[in-house]
Amino acid sequence: MSAPVIEESSARADPALVVADRWERLRLPVISALVALSVTAVLLWSFTGITPWDGARILFTGAFGGVDRTAETLMRSVPLVFIGVGAAVALRGGVFNVGGEGQMAIGALVTVLVITPIDTGPVALVWIIGLLAGAAGGAAWAVFPAVLWAKRGVSEILSTLLLNFITISLMTWLLTRPPLQDPDPYVITAQGAKIEPALQFPVLVDGTRLHLGVILAVIATVIVTFGMRSPAGLRIDVLGSNPSLAAQAGMRPVVARSRLLLFSAAFAGLAGAVQLFGVSHRLTMGLTAGVGYTGVLVAVLGRGSPALTAIAALGFAALTTGGEALEREGAPRTVVVVVQAVLVVAVALAGRQTVPTRRSRRPIAPAGGTA
Amino acid sequence: LHDVDVVVRAGEIVGVAGVAGNGQGDLVAIAAGRQAPATGTVTVDGVDLFADPRRAREVGLAYIPEDRAADGLALGLPVWTNAVAKRTDEIGGWRGVDKGRVAHLTERMIARLGVRPARHEVAVQHLSGGNQQRLVIGRELDHEPAVVVAAEPTRGLDPGSARAVLEALRAAADGGAAVLVVASDLDEVMMAADRVLVIYEGAIRLSLDRHEADRTLVGRAMVGA
């Protein structure tokens, strides 16, 4: 059928609008980043006398100046990428998993439990089993929050966050007594035994800590990027944007969101397994080192896009390694934490402005009645 | 709701008039298979909906919600995503999404009521209210539904969009759909419907054919007089 063309709306058929949509997604994070960096640069200048230019140079060469620094930055980005990409997918579906820290630790724990009894077989097979075990462990650690949310409506933000603290106590308990405690009698800290040297991920560049995990991180990012462009990814977007519409489309929003929580937790568990094989080579209390939280921030910065999240992860890792260089020049280490915090706050505030004013156009008075 | 027994035949538009708050919300939710009635059933061609949205899709039910933002559209997502949101099982391609199929479906849905701008990439929140509603109706009527449940389909729209919406509902009925329109605007119901029902305090109080319907009669029934 033919429809009347409304004059008023033809003005909206502007090609610039399409570009604006694309730019709109990037504009606010980019501006936020610049503001965050400027603010920190000025603070740094006034407190330590390091000029913004020098500060930027030190930060950059500290993160990417030379093979060893670049390798260190890449190595640090690996767990952030896994946690961030998983959290990004969950965010697109409207799920906020802040339990990455605990899920990652449990992932590493389950990996150790599963691979320790294996004493023969090809190394690659043990790695695959270990990675799958880590993912399963991470996901299992999110079952309780998922059930609490689905059955009782308990916010997953709260339950996943609080479970992190339970995990710390659990890990401390497990790592200070047999069978998991390091059997070395001189060890008094809470840590597990070293895994077989043959099972450690190979170092990709001699003299650095850059390990096989960086390749796995790239592969995971690519797979999830294409996954999000599939019909399944589309359904996740609809679920996150409008659960009622998703339900009409045949999805079960409660089930789907629970699955997303488990999915992101599996990625956190994977991060734990990769960190175990690649860096720590044993269970330690410092294995997660806060990346469970930073990974979520990275996903927020990446606005749900797996590729942008991976880039943000690299940026955060660069701030950490570059921050160490700044520290050697006399700047307080916390400068970097301030940059990261300002960055996230700025992007979060910027994000709020783009939330549509949903009900602003609803008429208040019903028409037609005379009662 | 109580004692509500509404039959909508294929090819017919039944309008339910009533002052807002007399049970229309529940009526629509139940008719659209989104909410289970306390007693009784909702059937399409003898198939019970069981308040299951999946079942509603299978029997070919189109749902035009009262609140587009809450139930009809994903405002932050582009037009094409909203267009194919209920058809994701049809658009799988060898590498993700079959873009040609998506473009074809989207084009057909926005052409039905003439959404402006006719662009697939624009986020729906940038469309005017009238064009958002045209998109919802274009999508819902695209699969030649057997049943259409429409709540306040023209409320808040410009006259051009309102006319386009009512024409589209009539076209759907002419195509064999059973159309239920629930609205608080008496003129809209009387203009659109073949049969006018009046709902008051959760019950159907009056049922008139179009030629019997009279503004005063219907208006009085709407306030329980």
Side-chain angles (χ1 to χ4, degrees):
Chain A
M1 63 175 284
S2 70
V5 177
I6 306 294
E7 282 304 315
E8 161 266 326
S9 57
S10 60
R12 291 169 175 271
D14 180 354
L17 204 60
V18 180
V19 182
D21 267 9
R22 213 164 284 159
W23 169 227
E24 204 170 89
R25 285 184 56 191
L26 288 175
R27 186 183 59 201
L28 293 167
V30 168
I31 293 173
S32 312
L34 291 177
V35 170
L37 287 172
S38 319
V39 168
T40 326
V42 170
L43 286 176
L44 189 66
W45 196 6
S46 48
F47 284 106
T48 65
I50 300 175
T51 63
W53 173 249
D54 277 343
R57 190 178 47 78
I58 296 165
L59 200 65
F60 186 80
T61 51
F64 297 109
V67 173
D68 57 332
R69 301 314 302 164
T70 310
E72 185 72 7
T73 300
L74 283 171
M75 183 276 286
R76 294 212 176 166
S77 71
V78 169
L80 289 178
V81 169
F82 279 105
I83 301 223
V85 165
V89 172
L91 274 180
R92 294 230 328 229
V95 176
F96 211 83
N97 176 13
V98 282
E101 193 80 2
Q103 292 146 8
M104 183 177 170
I106 298 297
L109 171 70
V110 174
T111 303
V112 167
L113 292 177
V114 168
I115 63 166
T116 306
I118 304 175
D119 45 13
T120 53
V123 172
L125 187 66
V126 179
W127 284 340
I128 291 171
I129 292 171
L131 292 172
L132 290 175
W141 206 235
V143 167
F144 184 52
V147 169
L148 273 184
W149 176 75
K151 299 288 178 203
R152 286 272 170 261
V154 178
S155 160
E156 82 280 11
I157 303 176
L158 199 65
S159 56
T160 54
L161 178 70
L162 294 180
L163 208 47
N164 289 338
F165 301 104
I166 295 175
T167 317
I168 293 173
S169 304
L170 178 69
M171 293 301 285
T172 313
W173 187 78
L174 285 172
L175 294 180
T176 49
R177 66 204 65 230
L180 283 174
Q181 189 186 24
D182 192 342
D184 184 340
Y186 295 102
V187 171
I188 52 164
T189 52
Q191 67 175 42
K194 223 172 173 67
I195 59 170
E196 292 290 321
L199 288 180
Q200 298 170 7
F201 275 170
V203 167
L204 300 182
V205 181
D206 278 342
T208 71
R209 297 201 286 168
L210 185 61
H211 56 85
L212 182 66
V214 73
I215 297 173
L216 299 179
V218 171
I219 294 173
T221 307
V222 170
I223 291 176
V224 174
T225 298
F226 279 99
M228 287 308 285
R229 289 183 187 166
S230 73
L234 229 136
R235 284 193 282 271
I236 292 174
D237 281 341
V238 173
L239 177 72
S241 183
N242 190 335
S244 166
L245 181 59
Q248 292 165 44
M251 296 178 75
R252 285 171 294 173
V254 171
V255 175
R257 284 198 165 163
S258 303
R259 279 191 195 147
L260 280 178
L261 182 56
L262 298 191
F263 176 87
S264 61
F267 264 70
L270 208 50
V274 168
Q275 204 68 353
L276 177 88
F277 282 128
V279 184
S280 73
H281 303 144
R282 65 167 88 230
L283 291 173
T284 69
M285 293 310 292
L287 180 130
T288 54
V291 299
Y293 297 114
T294 321
V296 178
L297 301 183
V298 157
V300 171
L301 276 185
R303 303 217 137 186
S305 150
L308 287 181
T309 298
I311 292 168
L314 189 62
F316 260 48
L319 281 173
T320 308
T321 45
E324 286 165 4
L326 268 180
E327 202 180 1
R328 286 193 290 274
E329 299 289 330
R333 188 187 171 78
T334 43
V335 165
V336 165
V337 182
V338 172
V339 177
Q340 292 177 339
V342 175
L343 213 65
V344 170
V345 170
V347 169
L349 288 176
R352 284 199 68 79
Q353 289 183 349
T354 60
V355 172
T357 50
R358 295 195 131 208
R359 286 156 199 280
S360 54
R361 263 194 288 213
R362 286 185 72 179
I364 295 161
T370 48
Chain B
L1 296 182
H2 51 93
D3 298 332
V4 174
D5 187 8
V6 179
V7 176
V8 187
R9 283 176 285 270
E12 177 187 50
I13 299 183
V14 171
V16 178
V19 178
N22 277 294
Q24 292 97 323
D26 288 337
L27 177 63
V28 168
I30 291 169
R34 292 169 53 77
Q35 185 183 315
T39 58
T41 56
V42 180
T43 59
V44 174
D45 285 339
V47 180
D48 198 314
L49 290 186
F50 294 121
D52 180 352
R54 294 171 182 230
R55 186 66 65 88
R57 272 180 88 223
E58 283 162 20
V59 300
L61 184 138
Y63 173 48
I64 296 154
E66 178 178 353
D67 186 340
R68 288 187 288 281
D71 300 313
L73 293 169
L75 291 180
L77 300 178
V79 166
W80 72 266
T81 314
N82 276 279
V84 300
K86 295 188 177 181
R87 311 278 284 268
T88 49
D89 44 352
E90 294 174 34
I91 56 166
W94 63 277
R95 38 164 249 190
V97 166
D98 181 346
K99 289 188 175 153
R101 175 95 180 122
V102 168
H104 172 73
L105 283 173
T106 307
E107 197 54 45
R108 199 167 73 195
M109 292 182 199
I110 66 180
R112 184 178 280 263
L113 273 80
V115 175
R116 295 285 179 276
R119 291 186 174 276
H120 300 184
E121 295 292 336
V122 177
V124 164
Q125 62 197 356
H126 293 307
L127 299 180
S128 66
N131 280 300
Q132 290 180 2
Q133 187 72 346
R134 288 169 190 242
L135 176 60
V136 170
I137 294 174
R139 177 185 71 205
E140 293 300 319
L141 300 186
D142 187 73
H143 60 277
E144 306 303 332
V147 178
V148 180
V149 177
E152 306 285 358
T154 68
R155 188 162 78 185
L157 300 189
D158 58 281
S161 294
R163 197 170 60 240
V165 165
L166 293 180
E167 281 171 8
L169 292 177
R170 175 54 66 191
D174 289 345
V179 182
L180 180 69
V181 177
V182 179
S184 50
D185 181 350
L186 178 55
D187 292 325
E188 173 185 341
V189 172
M190 299 209 14
M191 195 161 62
D194 301 313
R195 202 145 53 84
V196 178
L197 309 181
V198 176
I199 189 168
Y200 180 75
E201 289 186 346
I204 300 293
R205 294 299 168 93
L206 190 66
S207 171
L208 299 168
D209 279 342
R210 183 210 283 269
H211 59 88
E212 306 170 321
D214 158 88
R215 277 191 63 86
T216 326
L217 204 58
V218 175
R220 287 170 70 90
M222 281 169 72
V223 295

